[in-house]
Structures are given as C-alpha cells and as structure tokens.
Amino acid sequence: MRTVAGQAFVWQLTVLILLAATAMVTLVLKTTNDAQTDARHRSLAVAEGFAHSPGVVQALQSPDPTAALQPLAEAARKGSGVGFVSVLSKSGIRYTDPVPGLIGQRAQGDIGRAAAGESFTELFKGKPQSAVRALVPVTDADGAVIGIVSAGVQTVDVGATVSRQLPVLVGVAAGSLVLAASGAALVSRRLQRQTHGLGPVEMTRMYEHHDAVLHSVREGVLILDPEKRLILANDEARQLLGMRASAEGLPLDALGLAPEMAALLGSGRTVTDEVHPSGSRLLAVNLRPTTVHGGSGGWVATLRDTTELSALAGRAEEARERLKLLNEGSTRIGSTLDLGRTSQELADVAVPRLADFVSVNLLETLLTGDELPPGPITGAELRRVAHRSVLEGTPEALVEVGDVVFYPEESPQARCLATGQSELHRVADPAIDAWLATDPARLAKGRAYGFHSWIEVPLIARGTTLGVVDFARSRYPESFEADDLALAEELVARTAVCLDNAWRFNRERTAALTLQHSLLPRRLPEQSAVEAAFRYLPADPRLGVGGDWFDVIPLSGARVALVVGDVVGHGIHASATMGRLRSAVRTLADVDLAPDELLTQLDDLVIRLTAESESDGEFAAPGDVGATCLYAVYDPVSGGCCLARAGHPAPAVARPDDTAALLDLPAGPPLGLGGLPFEAMETVLPEGSLLALYTDGLVESRARGMDAGLDALQQALTAPGRSLDALCDKVVETLLPDRPADDAALLLARVQRLDTERVATWDVPADPAAVAGVRTDAVRQLSAWGLEDIAFVTELIVSELVTNAVRYGAAPIRLRLIRDRALICEVSDGNNTAPHLRRARVFDEGGRGLLLVAQLTQRWGTRQTTSGKVIWCEQTLPAGG
C-alpha cells in the first residue's frame, strides 16, 4: 500500500469489485423481476380460466358453494402449479382455500376493485401468506358480479426461483473478478519494478529535493561520473566557477576551472569545508562519493562562497546587539508613569552600550503639567531630568539633575528643537566648532574628557516636542555612524511615547484630584451640634476620584444635617454626578425640607439626569444614573435625630454605655427609580452618642459579606478612649483591604447637646397686646447672657416677627432664643403659610417687616413643621459674646 504499484493495484481491484457487484445486483434484480412477471401472468391466466369454467356460476348460486367448488379449485391449483386457487364471495368471504381452516373467513387485500368488476394482479403482503396473486370477478348472465376467483404464487416460491439461478450468477462474477485481478496484479508488478517500490509521497519529495538542490539553494552543486565527467551543474555552480551552460558531459580539464579547483575535484578524496580560491572568490568545497548511498560510482561536490563571510559575521553580531538593546529598551523604559524615572531609564539603557554619556532635558512646561505647544519650538526653557556616564559621579556634566539648561541658537540642541530633526556630529565639524567657541566651559569639558562625536535627538510624541536627548562618545573608540543614529532615534521615540503618556496621566490625575477636591468638603464647617471626622478612600488611589460623597450642613436652629451618598459607577463620570447631587442636597437642605421630602426631591433630580443622558445618546437604562443616599438631621436642643434613606445601608450608633447597634431605619428605594415613597424615622440620641454614616464599599468586599462587615464596624465603634480621627483610622484599618474594590466613605459624628441655659422659650398669646411683654422678656434674657450690645436690634426683630405671627398666624405661637455661635431667634405658629420678602411701595402700610429683618440679621428663613411653620433669623454675636 505504501508504493505507487501497490496503490494502483488496490484502485484497479476496487473498481473491478464495484463493477462485479453492480452487475451482480443488476442480474439479481432482473431475475427477480422476471420471476414476478411470470408469476403474475400465470396467476391471472389460472384465475381467468377458473372464473370462466362451466358450472362455476351455478355453483356460486347454489345453497352450498363450498361443497361444489372446493374440489374443482384444488384440482385447478394442482393442475396449474400455482400456490393457491380460492373462490370468494363478492364481499371477500372465502368459499374455497387450500387451507380448509380459512374457509368462511374474510380475505385481505384490495377486494373492492374485483367486486367492482375489474381483473388485476398485485403483489400481496399479508396473511395467510405474501404472494403474487390475481383477482378475477365471476359474473352471471346479466353481467353482475357474484363472486371472485383469486389465484397466485407465494412470494417464497418466487424467491426460490431466483435462488436457483443465483449460484450461476455468483460463479460467473467471481470468475470474471479473478481474471481481472490477475491482470491488474501483472500490471502492478511491472510498475513496481519501474518505480523501485517508491510511494507517491517519496517520489514527490525526491523531485522536490532534486529541484531545490538544483535551483533553490544558494550553494553550487556538481555531479561527476566515475570518469570525472560533468553530469550535472546547477546555476549557482556555473556562476561560482564561471562555466558555460553547455558544460554537461565534458571532463574536468575541459571545464575551464582554476587549476587548484580542478585538482581538488579530480583528487578522488573526501573533502569537508575546505576553502580554496577560484578567481576572485574564496569557495568552501565539500566532496563526497555517491557509492556510499548505493548509487552508481561518481562524486558530488558542493560549493559555497565565503568571500564576505567575515564581514557578514561582524555585521550580524552588531545587528544582534542593536536588536538586543532595542528589546531591552522596550522592556526597561517606561516601567512607571514618572517623568524623571522614565528619563533615567533611557540613560541607563544607552550607557555604555551606545554612548559614554547621555543627558535628558525636558521642557519646563512638561514638568509643570501645563499644555504643550504642538510642533517644533524655539527659545524654550529646558531642565535636566536625568543623565548617566561611564565615569562614576558623571564628572563631565556641566549641570546637575534638576538644574535649568540653556542652549544658544547655534547649538545642535536648539536646532533639534526648532526643526524636529536629529543631528549627528563629530568634533571636527564646523557646527561643533562654532558652538563650542561660544561656550568655553563646555569646550574645556569636551577636551578634558575626550568627546569626539555627538548625537542630538528631539523628544517628539504625537507631534509635540517634549525635550532633547544628548548622546556623546569619549572612551568609545569609534565615532557615531548612521546606524547608531537610527538606534538612538528608536530608543528616544520609545521614551517620548512613555513621557507623553506619563504627562497625560499626570494631567488627568491632577484634573481628577482637583475635581474631587472641589466636589468633596475640604474641611467640615464649624457648628455646635456634632463633633465630626471623615475618611474617603477611592477604589483607584491613583485617580483619587469616585462616586461616594458625604457632607455636614449647618441648618437653622443650631441643627445640623449629615449626608452620605453613593453614585453608581466609578471614575470621573460618577464623580461629576456626585458633585451635582451634593450641590442639590445642600440647596434642598437650605430650604429646610424634612429628610423624606428631601429624598423625594433628590429622586426627581436623578430621574431628570437619566433622561438627559438618554437625550444625549448615551441610552441610559433606568437606574444607570442612580445613587443611594442617607440624610439625617440632628437637633442639639432636643437631642432628636430625624433620618431617612434611599437604598443606603442603615447608620450605626455607638451609645455612651459602649454598646453599638444599627438603627432600624426603613429602607427606601435607590434614587432614580421613582414612584416609591421614602419614610423618615425620629429617634433621640443620648449626648455623647456616636453616629456612623458610611457607604457599602466600607463594609462589603470580595472576601467578606455585608453582615460580617457590619459586625466588624460595630465592634470597631466601641473602641474606648479614642478621638474621632483615631477612630476613623481604626475603622478603616479594620474593614478595608489594601486595595478596595469599591469607593468607601465614612462620616463619624459625636452628638452634643446645647446647655438649657443657652435656650429661652416663651409661649405667646394670640393678642397684639402681648407683644410688648415678649419684647421685655427677650431683652431681659439678652442681659442675662451679656448681649446688651445687640438688645436693641433683637428687640426690633422680635417685635416684627411676633407681631406678624399674631396678626397672620395661628395659635400656638412661640418665641425661642438660642445662643449658639450666633444668636438665633425663632418664632413658630400653627399656620402653614410662609411669608415672602417683598419691597413695600411708598404708600403701603405693610410689607416692611421682613425687609427690616433681612437688613438687620445675617441670615433668615422659614421652615415647615408638622404643626405649622417657623420663621428664624441669625445675628452675629458681638466680640467676646
């Protein structure tokens, strides 16, 4: 099967077998068809003969057709040689049958056609046996069908006829196959002798090898016969030896070879890589006898030109070193996003393998992070950021790392920056002489350390010039060549891209940090309600930006709002959304909305932000611009705290008795879903209680679930004797891994109470006459607090606010003075209608009260309560008050 002859024999034999099989099948089918046709004819003839026999009609019309017809049917069957002759009624009931037990039973098959008067034959399959049968109707004198005659040959009998002929057919086919196979074997045996038993793959490979040796290899090939006559020479051999095209068949001395080469080829010895001259060439010769491998006696010689081998070997080694240096540069340069480190990596790679001294000088604007001008530049200020020398301490450097470098216009460095093109110079170049003549210090350094050639390459990335790199040789004996310049440009181009990436990253990071610092509180506002501390840890510390936020917002009445939120996502987009939500919360807090109402307004804002994103083509799904938020308002006068949350984790409270628990605060839906209400909860916090507001990034991580994180938070909050800053550090150290997967914010607030002596409250009757008494009480209280300096202004404010409450409000009316960081005056009544500041016209009798209050106070406003409203204002306390 491996050889061509074997495969040809198999193919011929396969074709013969297929032909024999096809002929065999055709003959069997023909014999079977003939047998079935004969059975049909005989069955139809017997059935018709019996149906038209005399007495059949009378027998069918007799009272007992079976008795009259059964002997006749059996006689007809035996005389005709068919398998059965049966007489049936018009409905198919058997009157006669070779098997008496079937008489009286209904016959199977297409009886209806015979009952309709049609004679036909069919291949019947069924019981009592499959057969080729004929059905012929029996008609009376009027032509009416009164019975049916069925005669047929069983299928078994038809198959037996075919089987009797099958051995003859098989014998003929086998004999023909044997004769054809013998002929194919003779042909294959002759083919095997002619192909030497080779297979098709081997023959193809032999041809390919022969063709490659002659035409593809870059070596000359000669084949000589035992008499040293040339049998074959490829094109390379003719070129190396200078032979003509018609040299085959000539002896060696007629080929025109050099004497030494002719003597070597005719020596009859085995030669391995001997170098011999041939004209102007040096050829490496190999000579081998062909009888070693079973061929006819002769010789094979191969010739290889080694004239430029030494030079090529040297160049190859240099190329390998350059590739190695480039590969090392691609892996070592740009390992960080630090400008100085990247520049120093370039100098470390280039010294000493390319240059003896390298310096990297960058634009000052690149180092400061300012926008770089595109294209070449002139007159730019450069700063030395890195240098390296083969000498320890880099004594040949004129400036140190970090110092400003000045290059005059005639210097190669200035031309590189202006043109964007690299330059290669030697010490004897006029341009170098002109430059060094203007710089005696540089000239002295160059002479002292033996500099003899320079390369100046501008640092250019994405069309922007970043600086210039100096390469110099002093100890290296050879001057820079064009290949060295190309290598230096490759290294500098790689460095320029890394420096540009570092510059862009630093700009983006600076912008992100600036954005974050502008969006998050730099420091907490001064207020008396709580002592607060915070920690914010972004998921990516390099960017320093995230979607979590917190805030402490002073409110009217010495109250304070504590806020913690978390925007979906990370990065600059989440931070921008966070800034918008934080601004909205501060604005809504100034309106003094209740926590649940504030979250409802904030939910509407997030829905509008989502709609804006969809209109801008961002196709944001519901909740994509979503957030969670927790809003709490603490009143230091009563110690009450009202809280509501929108999909945010519940706050934790550590009480003065060193117990900590989560507040059972109703969980509202996240912001941005819409349509669902928020529920607020009020609780009283003992003085000194610690309220912890946080985002889920603090308590949940890949290694720890939410429940475990909440337990750890509560344990950390009960650590005794710690300041709030130290407690923040303790919580972060306990809960956060080294690299958190999510932004985390923590706000700790220790609640405080205002001393009751700093709060004064009066119930005011709904009578204008009571205003004077209230003014007197207020002035008396200010005197007790030592605030006589602002008593007159306060008296005017109390008079205006209480009078308005009595005139336009509803009972109960109450005045409250709070001495905090400012003097707070609050007047509450049972009417929900809030007043508005407006300018009174010349002849208006009213409308000047609130204008007067606004001019006399630092701030004023109104807030709704469950029973009415409160009008408040704040006055600045006098110095020392």
Side-chain angles (χ1 to χ4, degrees), residues 396 427 436 440-452 454 474:
E396 63 268 52
V427 70
L436 295 180
R442 191 177 300 275
L443 177 60
K445 283 280 188 180
R447 290 176 176 176
Y449 291 98
F451 289 109
H452 57 81
W454 290 265
S474 57

Side-chain angles (χ1 to χ4, degrees), residues 771 774-775 778-779 782 790-805 815-817 823-827 848-861 871-876:
V771 175
V774 172
R775 289 200 305 266
V779 172
L782 292 180
I790 61 173
F792 177 72
V793 174
T794 304
E795 185 176 5
L796 289 178
I797 294 172
V798 168
S799 177
E800 288 294 337
L801 295 182
V802 172
T803 299
N804 285 342
L815 168 66
R816 185 169 71 168
L817 296 179
L823 179 63
I824 303 171
C825 177
E826 296 182 344
V827 176
R848 293 180 175 84
L850 285 181
L851 180 62
L852 178 64
V853 171
Q855 294 294 325
L856 295 176
T857 60
Q858 183 181 6
R859 297 196 308 150
W860 79 277
I871 303 176
W872 57 270
C873 61
E874 293 182 1
Q875 294 174 255
T876 303

